[in-house]
């Protein structure tokens, strides 16, 4: 997980969603100096995970985040905020994709539904 928020805030949010244990590493505002669209935070996350940037898939909700991932040579998936998901005439497929992502995050580590 890479976030521009403080570690305390990220941990509290993930804990309240019961997702904290799903993330092997957290890179938070205290861990880097240059914010998005600079790729620094994403590259730190990849290094901590011991994987090359080309092996990473970034789920991002902002254009600046997509720019950062692209600059880091990482593949991206744009996840629009809920209020945009259907406002652009998106179909029921988007809802199913969103549910699939949610189900994958809810599955125990190493398993998928």
């Amino acid at each position: 997980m890479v976030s521009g928020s403080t570690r305390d805030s990220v941990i509290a949010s993930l804990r309240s969603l019961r997702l904290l244990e799903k993330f092997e590493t957290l890179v938070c505002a205290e861990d880097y100096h240059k914010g998005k669209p600079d790729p620094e935070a994403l590259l730190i996350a990849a290094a901590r995970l011991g994987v090359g940037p080309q092996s990473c898939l970034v789920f991002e909700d902002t254009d600046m985040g997509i720019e950062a991932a692209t600059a880091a040579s990482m593949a991206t998936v744009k996840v629009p905020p809920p209020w945009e998901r259907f406002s652009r005439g998106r179909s029921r497929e988007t809802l199913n994709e969103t549910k699939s992502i949610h189900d994958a995050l809810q599955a125990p580590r190493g398993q998928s539904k």
Side-chain angles (χ1 to χ4, degrees):
M1 163 77 66
V2 174
S3 177
S5 296
T6 64
R7 182 170 308 282
D8 288 343
S9 176
V10 170
I11 288 172
S13 295
L14 291 174
R15 187 172 284 139
S16 72
L17 294 168
R18 298 181 185 168
L19 293 175
L20 181 60
E21 68 281 353
K22 303 293 182 184
F23 295 94
E24 194 171 317
T25 192
L26 301 176
V27 177
C28 302
E30 303 91 338
D31 298 321
Y32 57 91
H33 301 287
K34 299 175 187 173
K36 297 171 189 173
D38 190 276
E40 178 186 17
L42 295 168
L43 293 171
I44 290 170
R48 286 184 182 176
L49 292 169
V51 297
Q54 299 82 1
S55 298
C56 295
L57 175 61
V58 176
F59 291 86
E60 182 56 63
D61 63 342
T62 67
D63 290 336
M64 285 195 333
I66 296 291
E67 286 180 47
T70 301
S73 300
M74 297 177 177
T76 62
V77 174
K78 176 93 185 256
V79 181
W83 57 89
E84 288 182 9
R85 289 185 188 143
F86 295 102
S87 66
R88 296 182 186 165
R90 296 189 188 272
S91 68
R92 187 176 292 273
E93 292 173 20
T94 301
L95 179 60
N96 291 336
E97 290 170 9
T98 303
K99 287 180 181 177
S100 295
I101 292 168
H102 181 266
D103 290 346
L105 287 172
Q106 294 297 326
R109 185 174 282 189
Q111 296 179 4
S112 62
K113 292 184 177 183

